[in-house]
Amino acid sequence: MTILFSLYASYTGAMMLLRSIIDDLLPQSFRTYIYDTFYYLFTPPNINSTLIIDQYINNMSPNQVYEAAEIYLRTKINPQNERLKVSKTHRQKSISFDIEMGEQIHDTFKNIKLQWRCKENNNRDEKLYFELTFPKKHKNTVMSSYLDYVLEQANEIKERDRVVKLYSTDCYGYDSDGGGMWGGINLDHPATFDKLAMDPEMKKMIIEDLDRFVKRKEFYKRVGKAWKRGYLLYGPPGTGKSSLIAAMANYLRFDIYDLDLASINSNSTLRSILLSTSNRSILIIEDIDCNGGSDTGLTLSGMLNFIDGLWSSCGDERIVVFTTNHKDRIDPALLRPGRMDVHINMSYCSFSGFKLLASNYLGIKDNHSLFGEIEGLIQRTEVTPAVVAEELMKSDDADVVLQGFVNFLKQKRVNEANEVLAVKKEVLVVKKGQTKKDFVTFSWD
């Protein structure tokens, strides 16, 4: 037994020394050749199958399977891999690692052991390719299931890591990734549902509706409806409509297309712009009660056809978000389900919304001694989340900020009372033969 251990130690040491010499003295292409030779010499014949996955199809079109494998194999890199490629673009949030040519990546799928290796074929214009080797008896499983699994995983990774974009026709030419008439920039808005000062039940409803929508591709196909969803966000300015849209985009990893209907001069222009948007996107139409009309050349029928007519089916997995400060001014024909499926009232800040903002801005996780007084005041005062956020930014001292916010709410109550009294005086109508009218007593306590 001692002799066997000695022989094994000598063999291992010799192999390590040989590999060190090869790595230090020989070029990469020659090292790959030597390793491949050893691999084939010491692998029993006729037990493995190998698939070749070229980077390009017919030396022209990118091979989707190659691209998917490149993305997927990044998740399989481990400490045993000695040579890696390191890179980062200005759009990436973190450094990425890729396997170097000749390096092996091992994977397991349904208890099948698979080996990947990236290679370069000088006989084919130096095109790269992946070599996938596995036991021959599992060939059907690999070809029918494993490659599809790699494609699915790669798509999930791309969606999770991709940079969300904000497109506008006003930015045309700046970044044309959106195609057509759109130009865009990276959406760096930090809004998430966790940070939105909204009613918790309302947020839960929106998240569940979004999750249900993106999972129902086959349902929409089966019932013969375009795979899209319409939302109407209505309420006073400053109630968080833009932040909610950004949170939706960040949650779904959907690009945003901001459409200004005032710049559309005809129904045909609207159709052209719609066709140039991508799938898995959110299209915003702000101030829907103020846009469109005869002065722009865009008609109501054109708008309706865009929302739920034949042209609305151009593309999949689309969300259309309409915003307005005045829901009552919107044409009733636009409001029905199928056009605006979900109506969301963006109301004034509630106490639960205030506590979330206090946590975000001041780091207050528990109750504060002033919270009771603030709760009573905020329930009787119309104050938007934007105004609350502005008040909470006035100092780094939480006690100072909250006391200032209490004073702000009290003064706002006084101002609102005075405004109401002033309006009542202005609209007082003296009836015939009447010289005096008593006012109803106003109380704001």
Side-chain angles (χ1 to χ4, degrees):
M1 184 64 69
T2 304
I3 296 174
L4 288 176
F5 275 117
S6 299
L7 289 174
Y8 177 76
S10 300
Y11 172 78
T12 303
M15 290 299 99
M16 292 178 62
L17 178 60
L18 179 60
R19 178 159 186 167
S20 177
I21 294 173
I22 292 174
D23 288 344
D24 292 340
L25 299 180
L26 299 180
Q28 172 64 34
S29 59
F30 195 45
R31 291 202 303 268
T32 301
Y33 173 77
I34 292 177
Y35 293 148
D36 287 348
T37 302
F38 270 95
Y39 175 77
Y40 286 112
L41 285 176
F42 290 99
T43 300
N46 302 321
I47 66 168
N48 287 337
S49 288
T50 300
L51 300 180
I52 303 299
I53 305 170
D54 286 320
Q55 186 177 14
Y56 294 98
I57 301 173
N58 297 326
N59 293 331
M60 294 179 61
S61 302
N63 186 347
Q64 186 181 1
V65 181
Y66 180 94
E67 293 177 348
E70 191 172 36
I71 294 170
Y72 172 73
L73 292 177
R74 292 171 188 162
T75 67
K76 299 299 177 179
I77 292 173
N78 58 61
Q80 280 69 47
N81 296 118
E82 299 179 354
R83 296 177 60 83
L84 301 174
K85 292 187 292 186
V86 183
S87 63
K88 183 181 182 303
T89 68
H90 70 282
R91 294 183 178 180
Q92 290 178 316
K93 296 181 179 179
S94 59
I95 295 173
S96 64
F97 298 89
D98 294 281
I99 61 173
E100 176 61 289
M101 228 161 340
E103 194 73 14
Q104 295 180 12
I105 296 289
H106 298 278
D107 193 16
T108 302
F109 178 76
K110 295 182 178 179
N111 295 322
I112 304 171
K113 295 186 180 301
L114 306 105
Q115 176 184 280
W116 290 84
R117 182 177 289 180
C118 182
K119 293 188 174 184
E120 181 178 26
N121 193 326
N122 294 326
N123 296 326
R124 288 187 288 181
D125 299 325
E126 298 186 353
K127 294 296 187 295
L128 300 178
Y129 67 94
F130 279 114
E131 187 179 81
L132 173 60
T133 304
F134 50 88
K136 182 180 292 186
K137 63 182 180 179
H138 298 301
K139 186 174 183 178
N140 288 337
T141 302
V142 172
M143 296 181 66
S144 63
S145 301
Y146 177 65
L147 293 179
D148 286 339
Y149 170 77
V150 171
L151 288 168
E152 292 172 1
Q153 292 296 304
N155 285 332
E156 290 183 8
I157 294 168
K158 282 196 297 184
E159 287 302 317
R160 185 177 66 244
D161 296 341
R162 79 185 186 93
V163 177
V164 177
K165 305 284 288 187
L166 171 61
Y167 292 103
S168 170
T169 52
D170 295 334
C171 299
Y172 176 61
Y174 179 74
D175 183 342
S176 58
D177 288 348
M181 305 176 183
W182 301 93
I185 58 175
N186 293 345
L187 179 68
D188 294 324
H189 201 296
T192 64
F193 280 106
D194 290 338
K195 298 177 182 177
L196 287 182
M198 288 181 64
D199 176 73
E201 289 301 316
M202 178 69 75
K203 284 195 286 188
K204 180 181 178 183
M205 182 276 292
I206 296 172
I207 292 173
E208 289 176 350
D209 191 76
L210 293 173
D211 288 339
R212 185 165 52 250
F213 168 72
V214 298
K215 294 176 181 177
R216 302 185 88 183
K217 179 179 181 178
E218 294 304 319
F219 169 81
Y220 280 89
K221 183 178 180 180
R222 187 175 72 251
V223 300
K225 290 176 64 70
W227 192 12
K228 66 179 183 63
R229 191 77 167 153
Y231 289 81
L232 172 64
L233 311 184
Y234 65 96
T239 50
K241 292 187 282 291
S242 296
S243 294
L244 174 56
I245 294 171
M248 293 168 67
N250 287 329
Y251 181 75
L252 296 173
R253 310 308 297 170
F254 278 19
D255 290 332
I256 294 177
Y257 290 85
D258 188 7
L259 178 61
D260 180 9
L261 288 184
S263 65
I264 309 300
N265 55 21
S266 68
N267 294 333
S268 60
T269 302
L270 179 63
R271 288 195 296 269
S272 298
I273 291 177
L274 173 63
L275 289 172
S276 64
T277 60
S278 65
N279 294 338
R280 295 182 61 80
S281 61
I282 298 175
L283 180 65
I284 306 173
I285 302 178
E286 296 189 272
D287 301 322
I288 185 63
D289 57 296
C290 303
N291 281 313
S294 58
D295 56 331
T296 65
L298 180 63
T299 65
L300 177 61
S301 62
M303 174 64 70
L304 294 177
N305 194 38
F306 153 70
I307 295 174
D308 68 350
L310 292 175
W311 288 99
S312 70
S313 60
C314 300
D316 279 338
E317 212 168 356
R318 296 250 182 87
I319 290 176
V320 184
V321 178
F322 304 87
T323 72
T324 180
N325 298 334
H326 308 282
K327 181 181 179 181
D328 57 309
R329 298 180 186 175
I330 300 177
D331 192 302
L334 292 168
L335 290 173
R336 72 167 178 80
R339 293 168 181 169
M340 299 180 183
D341 305 292
V342 183
H343 297 197
I344 301 174
N345 182 13
M346 306 296 292
S347 60
Y348 293 102
C349 191
S350 63
F351 181 62
S352 62
F354 160 76
K355 288 197 296 183
L356 180 60
L357 290 173
S359 174
N360 292 340
Y361 284 80
L362 302 175
I364 301 176
K365 304 300 181 182
D366 301 318
N367 285 332
H368 189 276
S369 59
L370 291 174
F371 274 13
E373 186 175 7
I374 291 174
E375 181 177 10
L377 287 168
I378 207 168
Q379 288 176 348
R380 303 192 302 273
T381 309
E382 293 184 343
V383 56
T384 66
V387 171
V388 174
E390 187 64 28
E391 291 296 317
L392 297 182
M393 293 175 63
K394 290 187 174 181
S395 174
D396 294 330
D397 189 320
D399 294 332
V400 172
V401 169
L402 293 181
Q403 185 59 61
F405 186 55
V406 168
N407 297 337
F408 167 80
L409 292 176
K410 288 181 177 179
Q411 185 60 49
K412 195 171 191 307
R413 295 282 296 154
V414 172
N415 294 342
E416 288 175 354
N418 291 335
E419 288 175 3
V420 170
L421 291 174
V423 170
K424 286 181 178 291
K425 290 179 181 179
E426 290 177 2
V427 301
L428 177 63
V429 177
V430 180
K431 296 182 179 179
K432 184 178 180 180
Q434 187 177 14
T435 58
K436 181 178 180 181
K437 182 176 178 65
D438 294 331
F439 287 101
V440 176
T441 302
F442 179 82
S443 173
W444 49 269
D445 289 332

